[in-house]
Amino acid sequence: MATKDSHNRKTGIVKLLGDVIDDLKDYTDECLDKARDLEYDLRKAVSDSVSPEEKENEGRTEEEDVRELKRQLSELQGQIAQLSSVLAHAVGKPAPDGGK
């Protein structure tokens, strides 16, 4: 028969496990939200580069457009690296690029 102390300990462990699982769910949801945002930004950047609006290109040269696309690509690569690092940290593995 379990004593009162061991019964409280079991309840404490169950509560702890429940809290860990809840925190893991929240963290997973946050990672998925960031991935969704990244996917949206990537799709928008690709869409804008393939079919830019007329007003956006007025007065800009092709060189300026290329520089802008390279800047956007660099931003997206940074976001991907950051997300990879966060996800790798969540599963306890090093990021593909060394966590940079």
Side-chain angles (χ1 to χ4, degrees):
M1 180 157 102
T3 66
K4 186 175 183 180
D5 289 337
S6 66
H7 178 58
N8 287 341
R9 184 179 303 141
K10 288 180 184 176
T11 303
I13 290 172
V14 171
K15 184 177 181 337
L16 173 67
L17 290 175
D19 290 346
V20 168
I21 290 171
D22 288 342
D23 289 344
L24 186 57
K25 284 181 187 177
D26 291 342
Y27 183 74
T28 303
D29 286 342
E30 184 179 322
C31 288
L32 290 173
D33 287 342
K34 286 183 179 185
R36 246 181 251 116
D37 291 344
L38 177 63
E39 179 185 14
Y40 173 79
D41 291 344
L42 182 60
R43 286 178 183 262
K44 185 168 176 15
V46 169
S47 176
D48 288 349
S49 68
V50 172
S51 59
E53 295 178 11
E54 293 288 328
K55 290 182 180 180
E56 284 185 15
N57 282 338
E58 285 182 13
R60 289 174 43 180
T61 65
E62 286 184 20
E63 289 176 4
E64 290 171 330
D65 288 341
V66 169
R67 277 195 298 266
E68 177 63 18
L69 287 174
K70 285 181 180 180
R71 185 193 63 76
Q72 290 175 352
L73 180 61
S74 177
E75 276 184 34
L76 289 172
Q77 288 171 332
Q79 290 175 350
I80 289 171
Q82 181 182 15
L83 182 59
S84 295
S85 177
V86 167
L87 291 174
H89 179 70
V91 295
K93 295 180 182 176
D97 63 351
K100 294 180 182 177

